[in-house]
Amino acid sequence: MFDEIMDVAAVVCVLLAGVLSAAAGIGLLRFPDALSRLHAATKPQIFGLLLVIAAIALDQRSFPTLLALVPVFVFQCLTAPIAAHMVGRAAYRTGQLDTETLVVDELGPAIERSDSLYR
């Protein structure tokens, strides 16, 4: 009985991860600019990965497997926001964004200051 519950929980985790992946894909297609698409791509990624790792851990029921999966999640949590930050800055500098949808532009003055220092 306990094994069946764990198997059902693993399947639910995989299905939810699939739904998050589909939502991210739809967001990439539907959102208008690079910053919105970046948000759609990175937010579901981390939670979807967590659900997949949980599904693997529930399926394998092994502590060594869990120990192998934890660094995957930690490194993804560390690298995804940094990569998203760099892509967002590049999109901002190249003008690949919709300035009308920005509520607060905190990066503009910082870029102007840094550009004036190097002129």
Side-chain angles (χ1 to χ4, degrees), residues 5-49:
I5 292 172
M6 297 289 273
D7 290 339
V8 169
V11 168
V12 168
C13 286
V14 169
L15 289 175
L16 288 174
V19 168
L20 284 172
S21 295
I26 291 169
L28 287 173
L29 294 174
R30 301 276 310 198
F31 285 159
D33 64 337
L35 297 179
S36 300
R37 289 185 195 123
L38 187 63
H39 181 76
T42 56
K43 297 302 176 188
Q45 175 190 5
I46 298 296
F47 191 55
L49 178 67

Side-chain angles (χ1 to χ4, degrees), residues 58-76:
L58 289 170
D59 181 61
Q60 295 297 311
R61 296 177 190 91
S62 166
F63 191 69
T65 302
L66 183 63
L67 286 179
L69 293 173
V70 168
V72 172
F73 183 70
V74 169
F75 288 129
Q76 188 67 28

